[in-house]
């Protein structure tokens, strides 16, 4: 309720920026809470809490990033189109209102508006006649809001006249489904999985509640990837069509064949439609890893085949780890595949909002948050870093038990801070093998049950009596050593322990488990320990991630960074977050963080040199030890340089 009230006040103030004074903020909170249709009784300290939240949001900033372009033979068009009296930014206006209603800081929304203008402005004018093909790349940060950015882009692209939008949403169905949900909410305005079975009013969500007059068409939903079972007549549909698919060879082949079938009707030739293809996690699977004298790898080939069906198209790559993409050979020129997928026309490097917690803040050379990292050096005695799927785990490492206790204490403190309806997640990523994940999962389930029993029968007792229970004592010790500065009153935390533990679920997130991190289904907040491996990495968002326990053996910059799901936004609980790593992995993250920032500096140097992506040789610092920048077969065009 408090969050909804705060978001409502933020939205009102975004329309009346001149009233954004401390006094007016507090008056507006009192006025909105006295709404006779839905009155809210607030204490003075609650009004002050909401006011501080709002002031924090208005204090956030977001730079507009770095734009590198090839302007040769490209004519800017977006501003002229927007100045036309007939131009209607219908889709963007809905999305902008949704962002503000969801509590996005107005300065951040303003920056998203400007950045997405830059991105769309580097695509081609969808009304331009003749053949054209633009390729670009947007480089963000892990868990920094790339999805919010590209949903803004597809809204604006629709306003400008793009008629077909294909989103390649990673390789895991969980990520594709999550992306579809975000597209439903921020662009379509309907729950795509229900619209055929329920009256349209009951299926509305997100932007659909703001205005449902125009609804884009989709042939996928959160439960179903693309199936070749649809008829599509180009001339009969005025709004855009969006398709969200996995990067799966069979799925892409179905999509290619369907597009070919709809390409045969001269009157409604689908190749005449302006296509925007957005490739999320573009460094993963999309890059051709075969030698130039062989056919491209399957997914890369399918992507190029689909693009080649269209006379007018834009390919837009999104990634937080662009190492593989910058090493694509820009000189490749094959008539059949039209130049591979090197972002030859533009690269945009995004800057995150000021409240983003990324690798630079945690692991960078000027890190402010290294105190959130904890050592898990004891795990090697029970789980060797290199192991097979037959490994049996007899007990949990002490460091993992500590991490679970940390997660429980953090939840108790969040309850005391009034965050009882917020998602609260823990990541346990210790093996790529499903059998080993299941072993860890079973032990964690048993531990959670034991902790709940101990807390249930002792938490109401006085402190001294309660601490006679070993599980309560372990929680107390964790609070005393790690959280007492954040919340000094143990008695109040003890009162919240049962709620913190009893609400906690343990889920196994892999292909063998029916468990699903469906945060939308938990309206009162999901409190979860998610145990898994690769399915928990690369693109999947763990909402309210407070505790991470990570132990994996990987030797590549991009793979390791994508496994780090703890980057993102932690407003209201950043001080409670903990990351459990081995010292070696912490060193790796620190090194990769600095190398990534150097690559971003390379983008700025490219801009300063007034050179295009094709002409400027991007360089990435190599690791002196065993770490690779990316897979060797993605670096066939790279050269090794020694810089002294």
């Amino acid at each position: 309720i408090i969050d909804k009230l705060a978001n409502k006040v933020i939205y009102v103030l975004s329309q009346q920026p001149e009233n954004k004074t401390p006094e007016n903020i507090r008056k507006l909170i009192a006025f909105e809470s006295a709404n006779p249709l839905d009155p809210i009784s607030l204490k003075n300290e609650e009004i002050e809490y909401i006011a501080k939240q709002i002031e924090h949001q208005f204090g956030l900033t977001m730079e507009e990033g770095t734009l590198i372009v090839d302007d040769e033979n490209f004519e800017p068009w977006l501003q002229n189109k927007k100045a036309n009296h007939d131009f209607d930014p219908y889709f963007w206006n809905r999305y902008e209102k949704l962002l503000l209603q969801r509590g996005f800081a107005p300065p951040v929304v303003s920056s998203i508006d400007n950045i997405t203008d830059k991105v769309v402005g580097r695509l081609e004018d969808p009304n331009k006649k003749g053949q054209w093909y633009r390729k670009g790349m947007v480089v963000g940060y892990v868990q920094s809001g790339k999805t919010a950015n590209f949903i803004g882009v597809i809204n604006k692209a629709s306003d400008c006249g793009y008629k077909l939008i294909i989103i390649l949403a990673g390789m895991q169905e969980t990520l594709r489904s999550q992306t579809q949900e975000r597209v439903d909410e921020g662009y379509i305005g309907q729950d795509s999985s229900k619209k055929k079975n329920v009256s349209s009013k009951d299926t509305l969500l997100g932007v659909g509640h703001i205005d449902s007059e125009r609804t884009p068409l989709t042939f996928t939903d959160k439960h179903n990837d693309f199936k070749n079972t649809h008829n599509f007549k180009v001339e009969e549909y005025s709004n855009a069509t969006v398709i969200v698919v996995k990067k799966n060879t069979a799925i892409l082949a179905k999509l290619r064949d369907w597009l070919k079938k709809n390409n045969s009707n001269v009157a409604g030739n689908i190749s005449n439609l302006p296509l925007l293809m957005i490739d999320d996690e573009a460094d993963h699977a999309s890059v051709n890893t075969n030698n130039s004298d062989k056919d491209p790898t399957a997914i890369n080939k399918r992507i190029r085949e689909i693009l080649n069906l269209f006379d007018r198209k834009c390919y837009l790559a999104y990634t937080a780890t662009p190492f593989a993409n910058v090493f694509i050979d820009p000189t490749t020129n094959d008539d059949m595949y039209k130049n591979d997928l090197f972002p030859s026309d533009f690269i945009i490097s995004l800057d995150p909002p000021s409240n983003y917690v990324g690798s630079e803040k945690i692991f960078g050379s000027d890190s402010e948050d290294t105190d959130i990292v904890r050592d898990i050096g004891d795990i090697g005695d029970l789980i060797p870093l290199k192991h097979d799927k037959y490994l049996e785990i007899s007990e949990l490492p002490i460091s993992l038990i500590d991490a679970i206790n940390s997660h429980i204490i953090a939840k108790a403190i969040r309850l005391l801070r009034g965050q009882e309806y917020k998602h609260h997640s823990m990541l346990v990523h210790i093996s790529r093998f499903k059998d080993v994940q299941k072993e860890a999962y079973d032990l964690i389930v048993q531990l959670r049950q034991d902790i709940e029993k101990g807390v249930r029968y002792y938490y109401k007792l006085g402190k001294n009596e309660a601490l006679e229970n070993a599980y309560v004592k372990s929680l107390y010790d964790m609070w005393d050593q790690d959280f007492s500065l954040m919340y000094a009153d143990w008695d109040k935390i003890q009162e919240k322990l049962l709620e913190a533990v009893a609400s906690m679920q343990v889920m196994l997130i892999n292909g063998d488990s029916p468990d699903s991190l469906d945060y939308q289904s938990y309206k009162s907040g999901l409190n979860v320990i998610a145990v898994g491996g690769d399915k928990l990495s690369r693109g999947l968002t763990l909402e309210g991630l407070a505790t991470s326990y990570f132990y994996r053996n990987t030797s590549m910059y991009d793979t390791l960074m994508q496994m780090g799901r703890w980057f993102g936004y932690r407003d209201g609980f950043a001080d409670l977050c903990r990351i459990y790593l081995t010292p070696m992995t912490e060193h790796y993250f620190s090194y990769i963080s600095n190398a990534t920032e150097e690559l971003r500096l390379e983008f700025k140097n490219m801009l300063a040199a007034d050179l295009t992506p094709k002409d400027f040789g991007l360089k990435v610092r190599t690791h002196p030890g065993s770490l690779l920048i990316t897979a060797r077969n993605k670096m066939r065009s790279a050269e090794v340089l020694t810089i002294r």
Side-chain angles (χ1 to χ4, degrees):
I1 293 171
I2 285 176
D3 281 344
K4 287 183 178 179
L5 179 59
N7 291 345
K8 188 173 183 180
V9 173
I10 287 172
Y11 179 71
V12 172
L13 289 171
S14 71
Q15 310 303 304
Q16 307 168 4
E18 69 279 0
N19 292 329
K20 197 178 58 184
T21 65
E23 182 182 5
N24 284 339
I25 289 173
R26 285 153 181 81
K27 283 182 178 179
L28 189 54
I29 293 169
F31 175 78
E32 293 292 345
S33 65
N35 184 337
L37 298 177
D38 188 20
I40 303 170
S41 178
L42 293 176
K43 301 175 184 176
N44 287 335
E45 57 266 29
E46 290 172 326
I47 292 176
E48 190 61 25
Y49 172 78
I50 296 170
K52 293 293 185 185
Q53 269 192 313
I54 293 168
E55 288 169 344
H56 169 72
Q57 287 292 90
F58 275 97
L60 296 178
T61 59
M62 181 177 176
E63 300 298 323
E64 294 183 13
T66 304
L67 169 65
I68 304 105
V69 300
D70 180 0
D71 281 327
E72 185 179 359
N73 300 321
F74 180 74
E75 182 178 348
W77 58 274
L78 180 60
Q79 297 308 317
N80 289 338
K81 182 178 286 286
K82 291 173 70 174
N84 191 306
H85 293 297
D86 296 330
F87 180 73
D88 177 15
Y90 172 85
F91 290 108
W92 168 254
N93 285 346
R94 290 196 312 173
Y95 185 56
E96 181 182 46
K97 288 179 181 177
L98 180 69
L99 293 177
L100 291 167
Q101 288 178 2
R102 294 293 167 86
F104 274 66
V108 171
V109 175
S110 177
S111 290
I112 292 174
D113 187 8
N114 290 334
I115 292 165
T116 50
D117 260 10
K118 287 183 177 181
V119 176
V120 175
R122 303 319 302 183
L123 307 177
E124 188 54 87
D125 180 355
N127 296 317
K128 182 178 177 180
K129 303 299 182 183
Q131 292 188 341
W132 43 261
Y133 184 15
R134 299 278 293 171
K135 289 179 292 183
M137 180 169 68
V138 179
V139 181
Y141 287 76
V142 177
Q143 301 281 86
S144 67
K146 296 188 300 300
T147 306
N149 182 283
F150 77 63
I151 290 177
V153 167
I154 64 176
N155 276 286
K156 288 187 174 181
S158 290
D159 287 329
C160 292
Y162 276 89
K163 295 301 184 184
L164 180 60
I165 297 166
I166 297 173
I167 300 174
L168 308 178
M171 297 187 70
Q172 298 280 358
E173 176 58 24
T174 48
L175 178 53
R176 192 209 67 82
S177 177
Q178 187 179 78
T179 303
Q180 180 80 53
E181 288 180 354
R182 297 284 298 276
V183 171
D184 285 356
E185 181 181 57
Y187 174 58
I188 297 172
Q190 281 186 301
D191 184 337
S192 55
S193 66
K194 295 179 180 178
K195 63 181 181 180
K196 295 178 182 177
N197 304 317
V198 187
S199 65
S200 60
K201 185 177 179 181
D202 294 330
T203 69
L204 296 180
L205 48 74
V207 293
H209 289 303
I210 295 169
D211 190 334
S212 59
E213 181 181 345
R214 295 166 61 186
T215 305
L217 183 65
T218 181
F219 294 132
T220 54
D221 61 55
K222 67 179 181 181
H223 301 306
N224 296 288
D225 206 331
F226 181 79
K227 299 175 182 177
N228 190 359
T229 58
H230 310 280
N231 291 319
F232 180 62
K233 295 185 178 179
V234 174
E235 69 276 12
E236 291 184 3
Y237 201 74
S238 57
N239 290 329
T241 297
V242 61
I243 301 172
V244 183
V245 295
K246 286 192 300 292
K247 283 189 269 192
N248 172 281
T249 306
I251 295 291
L252 293 176
K254 285 181 186 178
L255 179 58
R256 176 204 61 198
D257 294 343
W258 177 79
L259 290 168
K260 280 185 177 180
K261 182 178 72 174
N262 285 279
N263 219 7
S264 59
N265 180 359
V266 176
N269 194 327
I270 204 168
S271 67
N272 292 329
L273 286 181
L275 167 72
L276 171 59
M277 178 183 283
I278 290 181
D279 187 354
D280 195 16
E281 307 295 338
D283 62 301
H284 194 214
S286 301
V287 177
N288 178 28
T289 56
N290 282 346
N291 290 327
S292 57
D293 59 342
K294 296 181 179 179
D295 275 353
T297 45
I299 290 176
N300 177 273
K301 184 176 181 179
R302 295 289 176 266
I303 293 172
R304 291 201 252 174
E305 286 172 343
I306 291 169
L307 287 165
N308 205 37
L309 294 174
F310 293 83
D311 294 330
R312 302 183 294 158
K313 66 253 186 175
C314 290
Y315 170 81
L316 183 59
Y318 273 79
T319 181
T321 48
F323 307 112
N325 303 84
V326 301
F327 288 134
I328 296 173
D329 186 356
T331 65
T332 302
N333 191 2
D334 186 305
D335 289 340
M336 179 180 178
Y337 295 116
K338 305 285 187 185
N339 273 343
D340 205 346
L341 301 177
F342 180 77
S344 52
D345 295 303
F346 63 93
I347 296 174
I348 296 179
S349 176
L350 302 179
D351 289 333
S354 54
N355 61 331
Y356 172 72
V357 179
S359 62
E360 183 68 11
K361 284 188 178 180
I362 300 172
F363 302 108
S365 54
D366 298 324
S367 169
E368 305 167 2
D369 298 315
T370 51
D371 59 332
I372 74 173
V373 179
R374 299 292 179 270
D375 185 359
I376 60 171
D378 65 320
I379 191 174
D381 297 334
L382 295 170
I383 306 174
L385 193 57
K386 294 183 178 180
H387 58 264
D388 58 31
K389 67 177 183 178
Y390 302 107
L391 177 71
E392 295 183 0
I393 306 175
S394 58
E395 59 183 293
L396 295 176
I398 297 298
S399 58
L400 181 49
I401 297 172
D402 286 345
I404 292 169
N405 285 333
S406 174
H407 188 62
I408 294 168
I409 294 297
K411 175 63 176 177
I413 295 176
R414 295 190 72 186
L415 290 170
L416 290 164
R417 289 178 176 177
Q419 299 175 18
E420 60 265 37
Y421 299 118
K422 297 287 190 181
H423 300 305
H424 187 70
S425 302
M426 176 178 179
L427 163 73
V428 178
H429 187 160
I430 61 174
S431 174
R432 67 185 179 93
F433 296 111
K434 296 175 184 177
D435 292 347
V436 179
Q437 295 164 17
K438 180 64 164 60
E439 293 258 336
Y441 165 81
D442 289 339
L443 290 170
I444 293 171
V445 167
Q446 184 61 57
L447 176 63
R448 194 214 70 82
Q449 292 171 350
D450 292 342
I451 294 173
E452 182 183 341
K453 289 175 184 175
V455 168
R456 186 174 295 279
Y457 295 113
Y458 281 82
Y459 84 104
K460 287 185 178 180
L461 303 177
K463 173 183 173 182
N464 292 334
E465 291 177 282
L467 294 183
E468 292 177 5
N469 178 269
Y471 295 105
V472 178
K473 179 65 164 59
S474 293
L475 290 166
Y476 173 83
D477 290 343
M478 174 54 63
W479 164 81
D480 186 43
Q481 74 180 33
D482 224 14
F483 292 96
S484 55
L485 292 178
M486 291 82 175
Y487 205 97
D489 192 338
W490 166 257
D491 290 339
K492 288 186 177 180
I493 288 178
Q494 185 176 307
E495 291 174 5
K496 292 294 184 181
L497 287 181
L498 181 63
E499 190 176 346
V501 179
S503 64
M504 186 169 67
Q505 302 182 53
V506 185
M507 293 186 181
L508 181 61
I509 308 298
N510 63 35
D512 292 345
S513 171
D515 291 344
S516 173
L517 286 172
D518 184 7
Y519 287 99
Q520 286 194 341
S521 298
Y522 292 85
K523 303 303 181 185
S524 58
L526 174 61
N527 180 12
V528 64
I529 298 177
V531 183
D534 293 343
K535 204 169 181 180
L536 285 175
S537 63
R538 190 168 276 281
L540 186 67
T541 299
L542 280 78
E543 303 287 351
L545 182 61
T547 314
S548 300
Y549 192 94
F550 182 83
Y551 180 67
R552 277 292 302 270
N553 179 32
T554 183
S555 60
M556 291 176 284
Y557 291 17
D558 44 11
T559 303
L560 194 61
M561 284 295 286
Q562 289 289 350
M563 287 181 175
R565 296 290 92 197
W566 47 81
F567 306 124
Y569 303 98
R570 305 288 181 259
D571 290 345
F573 68 104
D575 57 330
L576 307 178
C577 293
R578 299 291 181 268
I579 304 170
Y580 288 77
L581 304 169
T582 64
M584 180 184 70
T585 305
E586 183 179 358
H587 160 73
Y588 281 176
F589 271 109
S590 178
Y591 194 92
I592 297 168
S593 173
N594 291 330
T596 303
E597 290 307 309
E598 287 179 351
L599 178 57
R600 293 178 186 278
L601 183 60
E602 284 284 283
F603 293 145
K604 294 180 180 179
N605 291 339
M606 190 193 305
L607 176 66
D610 195 25
L611 292 172
T612 71
K614 289 182 290 189
D615 299 327
F616 188 93
L618 290 161
K619 60 181 183 290
V620 181
R621 179 187 293 271
T622 59
H623 186 262
S626 58
L627 272 179
L628 299 173
I629 295 171
T630 187
R632 295 185 191 279
N633 56 7
K634 294 180 180 179
M635 297 178 60
R636 289 178 290 104
S637 301
E639 296 181 11
V640 179
L641 300 176
T642 301
I643 300 175
R644 302 187 185 280

